[in-house]
Amino acid sequence: MTKPKLVASVLFTIPVPEPFDYAIEPDLDVQPGDYVLAPLGARQMRGVVWAVRDAGVQDEGRTLKTIEQQLPVPPLSASCRDFVDFVARYTCHLQSVVLRMVLSTPDALVPAPVQVSYARSPASPAKLTAAREKVLQACQSGSFGATELARRAGVSVGVIKGLAAAGGLTTTKASADQPFATPDLSLRGKTLTASQQHAADALVALNKGDAFAPALLDGVTGSGKTEVYFEALADVLARDETAQVLVLLPEIALTQDVLARFEKRFGAQPAQWHSERSMPQRRRVWREVAHGRARIVVGARSALFLPFANLRMIVVDEEHDNSFKQEEGVLYHARDMAVARAKMANAGIILASATPSLESLVNARSNRYAHMRLAARPGAAVLPPISTIDLREHSPGPGCWLSPPLLEAMDGTLARREQVLLFLNRRGYAPLTICRHCGERMKAPDSSTYLVEHRFSGRLVCHLTGYSRPKPKNCPACDAQDSLHPVGPGVERLEEEVRLRFPQAVTEVFSSDTMDGAEQVRSLIGRMEAGQIDILIGTQMAAKGHNFPNLTLVGVVDADMGLQGADLRAGERTYQTLVQVAGRAGRADRPGRALLQTHQPDHEAIAALCSGDREAFIGAELGLREDMGFPPYGRLAALVFSSLNEKEVDALSRRFVAAAPFVDGVDIWGPSEPPFAKVRGRWRRRVLVRSDRSIDLSALIAAWRSRIDLPRSIRLKVDIDPYSFL
Ligand code: ADP
């Protein structure tokens, strides 16, 4: 303990409300952003210096602990610290909880482990056994770590070590976290079409000023948005040799295909950041990003929280995609936070989509974002015509889901040796299982959800919580034997029908249940691209980003599916998904088409799809939103209370609403029972808060919450800009 001259406020990643003050010893040069080790209680904790100030009157009489040491990592930039503060304030979370998202790989704060690699030595060892020969053979092409070399040679690690000791191998020591290859900026991209070049030039010009300059790159599927934003990235990287760029993709899009395109364009693999990366891989990316050496980062939403040294441009590809919304922990929308991040870093930002969100379109219309459009696909490729099959006229027949016109179209497509994609956004075999004897519907025991039958695994599964049980033989309610009956289709059931109808065709299912990890996804995409699959049955996993050159028919089995429910984005989401799915059909020189099976061919979203009149649809949707004062014309937040005790959650959520601030321009609805009134044994109540745009809804909710002391048995989840209303 010392009397301080300089005081540092250090933010830790444990959930405490604010930074702690520490004295800085004169021999330490501590600056804001530095990563430090400091005593907290009995422990030494890692944290980040949030501010440094001269000791003042407020410190008199205080004895402060001192900062123990600085960690060997470049400081967290001021713009990244501002971003942490912003996200915390906006989402109503503690700064420390948001900082934990930045410090997601604490291992990166200490020097990287040293790895020994082995190479052939010019000298030959005294004793050469058969195993040693294999090792020498295996390392002819380079140097390898012991485990890798042992694997290549098919010997034990002991053999490698023995051979090295005998002088047959040389050893070199290097950091396990090697830098990423630097992009080769002399490489050129594809020759752009006139309209692509126009958009690329506009993006480059927009970003010349190195200031916050948001742009919406709005181009039909396959119009070459990726090629266009590559040019903007290349320009930023070429102008400043320390510049770093970040491309956010929906997780599923992080396939080999996209990565290969980056590698081809920039002559180097980008650093990748997503949930399938191992801890050492993350540590390497984090460290290289912090040192400014990883210049191109491609990642899922959490890559936004990486500690970039000099972030100059962000691209949010498929910006409309709902998977950018984080629904656990700190609830944030990565697209919106990316815009904030770019603003704080004075960096460029490009939001790219074939079906931009209404939020982004309104920003473009009001000139807050520059708007670049690509209306056509390059070359001869045309967008597929979309038409409906009215299921009221063309019924598929009992227990079937494919109508006669769709079957006929499939027949024709297969006869031409082209591929079919059937889209049904429902995993499993059947969404509902009922007892034919007593009418019992199979529900999850701890949640108010119906169990979905998965024949693949023989289980009934809750898609919300992951709970599952084997499918019983008898009805659990009335004990009738073999009375449980599947209702409605899932992809597995559709597969059954397809195999029956098209026994000669090679049929595969593309859904998260049938794909175990990225490797399987890649392999399936490879088979589809190579034409080894005739009919692909897919959930939304199949709807995104893939280019299948021989796919000419897309059949949407249930176009009405997303339209039900009281979700403010139901129409928009259905429209976006179906445009994306239909966009899979017909590339390059093969025209494609999309057929939508629907009971509501006149629904605005469906009619707009068929007529291709996006503007009419957007106009109608925006009109509705404006009338209701909903986003993007107003703000919305959801407060979700939960407790193990239903009476308690009911009473306390009411009390909370009763204590609401009276502010003009704010509407409060609820508490009400959400569709999932119980999840994992906890009863839930939901309050929706709507406000005019001029109101700082996050601040209002934070102040409101601080007025009420909720018992620990109640959890309150604040969801600013909610996307899920379940
Ligand atoms: P989007 O991102 O708009 O869906 P992509 O950039 O993925 O479109 O382009 C779709 C396909 O067309 C890709 O295979 C891409 O390589 C190709 N492509 C786009 N523009 C050109 C071009 N100017 N010359 C040649 N191929 C192109």
Side-chain angles (χ1 to χ4, degrees):
M1 309 260 183
T2 43
K3 269 202 175 309
K5 285 208 170 63
L6 279 176
V7 175
S9 301
V10 178
L11 189 61
F12 296 99
T13 54
I14 49 163
V16 287
E18 51 196 23
F20 284 79
D21 282 352
Y22 289 89
I24 303 176
E25 296 281 16
D27 57 338
L28 276 188
D29 175 22
V30 172
Q31 299 296 330
D34 282 352
Y35 296 84
V36 294
L37 208 55
L40 193 71
R43 286 189 295 167
Q44 294 286 340
M45 298 277 293
R46 292 172 189 146
V48 177
V49 176
W50 228 241
V52 175
R53 58 177 169 80
D54 291 324
V57 277
Q58 74 269 41
D59 302 302
E60 269 168 28
R62 283 173 100 192
T63 39
L64 295 175
K65 292 185 179 174
T66 55
I67 286 182
E68 196 66 28
Q69 73 177 82
Q70 285 159 293
L71 298 168
V73 188
L76 188 64
S77 67
S79 71
C80 197
R81 299 195 311 273
D82 288 347
F83 181 60
V84 169
D85 290 341
F86 170 81
V87 174
R89 201 169 52 243
Y90 192 80
T91 61
C92 300
H93 274 87
L94 297 173
Q95 286 162 297
S96 51
V97 173
V98 180
L99 180 67
R100 190 156 59 206
M101 292 156 69
V102 175
L103 287 182
S104 55
T105 48
D107 264 6
L109 298 181
V110 293
V114 170
Q115 214 168 35
V116 181
S117 54
Y118 296 83
R120 237 181 126 108
S121 137
S124 56
K127 198 166 132 242
L128 210 54
T129 60
R132 286 181 172 187
E133 290 258 28
K134 280 197 221 160
V135 176
L136 291 178
Q137 279 292 325
C139 63
Q140 234 157 7
S141 59
S143 65
F144 304 94
T147 324
E148 173 65 9
L149 186 53
R151 192 188 62 76
R152 283 171 175 254
V155 301
S156 71
V157 171
V159 176
I160 313 275
K161 302 229 159 121
L163 184 56
L169 295 173
T170 56
T171 54
T172 34
K173 289 185 179 172
S175 160
D177 295 349
Q178 287 297 305
F180 291 91
T182 10
D184 178 353
L185 298 169
S186 68
L187 294 175
R188 294 274 152 262
K190 297 206 155 82
T191 309
L192 298 184
T193 62
S195 57
Q196 287 173 342
Q197 191 65 54
H198 186 70
D201 290 346
L203 283 173
V204 167
L206 188 70
N207 286 290
K208 275 277 185 267
D210 287 322
F212 172 63
L216 175 62
L217 179 57
D218 173 4
V220 297
T221 3
S223 57
K225 295 183 290 297
T226 315
E227 305 297 334
V228 169
Y229 72 64
F230 275 170
E231 296 313 301
L233 295 176
D235 180 68
V236 167
L237 292 167
R239 276 192 292 118
D240 171 357
E241 63 180 22
T242 66
Q244 295 171 292
V245 297
L246 167 65
V247 179
L248 291 183
L249 296 169
E251 184 124 5
I252 182 61
L254 288 170
T255 57
Q256 222 51 44
D257 177 43
V258 186
L259 297 172
R261 285 178 73 178
F262 272 89
E263 193 169 353
K264 193 150 180 238
R265 176 65 183 82
F266 296 103
Q269 273 247 345
Q272 298 169 51
W273 182 267
H274 55 87
S275 64
E276 288 216 5
R277 300 253 90 190
S278 66
M279 243 0 202
Q281 285 171 328
R282 282 167 180 254
R283 186 190 64 207
R284 175 182 175 214
V285 173
W286 197 99
R287 192 192 307 279
E288 292 306 303
V289 166
H291 282 273
R293 293 183 296 239
R295 300 197 59 207
I296 307 179
V297 181
V298 178
R301 57 180 182 235
S302 57
L304 210 47
F305 292 89
L306 282 169
F308 288 92
N310 184 21
L311 180 60
R312 300 307 321 135
M313 181 172 274
I314 307 177
V315 174
V316 184
D317 202 350
E318 312 283 5
E319 68 90 36
H320 65 279
D321 197 292
N322 282 344
S323 70
F324 281 125
K325 179 73 199 277
Q326 161 92 18
E327 296 286 6
E328 299 275 324
V330 177
L331 308 182
Y332 67 91
H333 198 299
R335 176 199 55 231
D336 302 342
M337 295 305 111
V339 174
R341 180 93 163 88
K343 187 165 189 183
M344 285 162 202
N346 270 328
I349 177 155
I350 302 172
L351 308 178
S353 174
T355 50
S357 60
L358 294 187
E359 281 80 359
S360 298
L361 279 171
V362 166
N363 280 325
R365 284 183 174 191
S366 58
N367 294 326
R368 281 194 289 267
Y369 296 173
H371 195 175
M372 285 90 185
R373 283 165 177 265
L374 294 170
R377 293 178 171 189
V382 284
L383 271 176
I386 304 176
S387 45
T388 54
I389 297 172
D390 189 338
L391 289 174
R392 295 167 305 186
E393 280 172 40
H394 303 283
S395 167
C400 292
W401 321 102
L402 300 172
S403 63
L406 181 53
L407 288 168
E408 200 179 307
M410 290 172 71
D411 253 335
T413 308
L414 295 175
R416 288 190 300 277
R417 310 202 67 74
E418 293 167 355
Q419 294 167 303
V420 178
L421 168 68
L422 291 179
F423 175 73
L424 177 64
N425 203 7
R426 235 187 228 138
R427 295 158 47 206
Y429 186 82
L432 181 65
T433 301
I434 63 171
C435 170
R436 270 202 275 218
H437 191 249
C438 71
E440 169 78 1
R441 295 164 172 228
M442 296 292 291
K443 278 191 165 173
D446 60 349
S447 305
S448 40
T449 50
Y450 292 119
L451 293 175
V452 179
E453 181 180 353
H454 284 237
R455 282 225 173 149
F456 191 62
S457 58
R459 300 183 78 84
L460 298 175
V461 182
C462 167
H463 282 181
L464 188 69
T465 64
Y467 162 89
S468 77
R469 58 169 291 179
K471 186 179 174 192
K473 198 161 164 46
N474 295 359
C475 169
C478 72
D479 208 32
Q481 220 180 8
D482 292 324
S483 66
L484 293 176
H485 183 69
V487 179
V491 279
E492 291 179 14
R493 195 171 194 183
L494 190 62
E495 182 190 13
E496 228 172 58
E497 184 180 348
V498 169
R499 286 190 190 279
L500 215 63
R501 300 269 189 178
F502 303 95
Q504 311 299 342
V506 181
T507 301
E508 289 208 41
V509 173
F510 191 3
S511 125
S512 53
D513 304 297
T514 54
M515 298 287 110
D516 194 10
E519 209 38 63
Q520 283 205 9
V521 172
R522 276 178 215 131
S523 150
L524 180 128
I525 290 172
R527 287 199 298 287
M528 187 70 188
E529 281 170 351
Q532 292 163 4
I533 299 171
D534 298 315
I535 305 175
L536 185 65
I537 300 173
T539 58
Q540 62 182 4
M541 259 189 135
K544 296 178 187 169
H546 318 291
N547 299 323
F548 302 130
N550 199 35
L551 170 68
T552 56
L553 175 65
V554 169
V556 175
V557 175
D558 184 357
D560 309 334
M561 208 169 97
L563 293 174
Q564 301 97 343
D567 183 329
L568 95 110
R569 294 189 179 80
E572 183 189 7
R573 192 145 55 215
T574 300
Y575 180 84
Q576 287 164 339
T577 309
L578 297 185
V579 170
Q580 298 280 347
V581 181
R584 301 300 120 226
R587 290 262 162 165
D589 52 353
R590 278 178 210 267
R593 65 173 167 150
L595 295 173
L596 315 182
Q597 296 196 136
T598 171
H599 287 94
Q600 318 173 52
D602 301 325
H603 187 286
E604 251 161 18
I606 308 262
L609 273 163
C610 295
S611 64
D613 193 351
R614 185 178 92 169
E615 292 307 313
F617 173 69
I618 291 168
E621 277 288 306
L622 285 179
L624 276 177
R625 300 261 188 108
E626 195 163 14
D627 288 348
M628 308 280 290
F630 276 162
Y633 298 102
R635 298 183 192 278
L636 201 61
L639 309 176
V640 179
F641 300 82
S642 71
S643 159
L644 292 168
N645 180 327
E646 188 174 16
K647 281 209 175 83
E648 181 189 49
V649 75
D650 208 46
L652 280 162
S653 55
R654 281 172 201 283
R655 212 179 91 201
F656 198 90
V657 168
F662 284 102
V663 179
D664 265 355
V666 176
D667 302 314
I668 295 166
W669 297 303
S672 62
E673 237 180 71
F676 295 146
K678 189 180 172 196
V679 174
R680 290 192 184 91
R682 299 185 71 88
W683 295 93
R684 304 165 79 229
R685 292 292 182 270
R686 192 184 60 195
V687 175
L688 268 184
V689 189
R690 191 215 69 83
S691 81
D692 295 347
R693 276 207 72 80
S694 55
I695 289 173
D696 183 344
L697 194 51
S698 303
L700 180 129
I701 288 174
W704 180 6
R705 195 168 60 172
S706 68
R707 285 203 223 156
I708 298 217
D709 217 4
L710 289 172
R712 292 177 77 84
S713 52
I714 290 265
R715 273 188 217 146
L716 167 58
K717 201 166 94 167
V718 177
D719 189 358
I720 305 284
D721 306 326
Y723 277 67
S724 166
F725 296 85
L726 294 174

